Amino acid sequence: MILFTSILIVVILYYLQASGLIYITIIAVVAELINLFMTQTMTKTVEAKAARRYGKIINSHKAKIAQQSKTIIELKKIRDDSVHKLYKANQSIKKYEGKLGIEDSEAIEISGKEALNPKLSLKKKPKTQEDPKEKFIDLPSGSNRKGLPI
């Protein structure tokens, strides 16, 4: 298109000399308008082809994203319900421990006959005194050697 326009410009300039500049300007403007129109038409055609070609892929990905977001919402709801149930269970456990007179740091030992009838007695595990000093060991774990006499 541009080649045709330039050839036309040269021919008009050659024959009409001074008055040909007006015609050349008009022809150039019309040629550029035709060029813009054809470019716009071609762009719309290419966009339509791309939309048809990739539309199915895009729609399938949109459906997957929607399904995943629904799944995430459902899993969050399940998580919240589970946390609420665990909280209620812990509250009831604390309530029952309070009724039995058990503190948090104490453990219950049940053996033999008491396991069959827990009302007989609940033995509290005695607290043990720990050494405030830790023993220094320079051997790697699992070693059979004796440590240094320090």
Side-chain angles (χ1 to χ4, degrees), residues 25-45:
T25 306
I26 292 171
I27 292 172
V29 169
V30 169
E32 285 302 317
L33 287 174
I34 292 171
N35 189 16
L36 286 173
F37 176 73
M38 292 179 76
T39 304
Q40 184 182 13
T41 306
M42 186 176 68
T43 305
K44 285 183 180 179
T45 306

Side-chain angles (χ1 to χ4, degrees), residues 95-102 108 122 124:
K95 183 176 125 183
Y96 291 130
E97 284 178 348
K99 286 181 181 179
L100 292 173
I102 301 171
I108 300 173
L122 296 175
K124 295 180 181 177

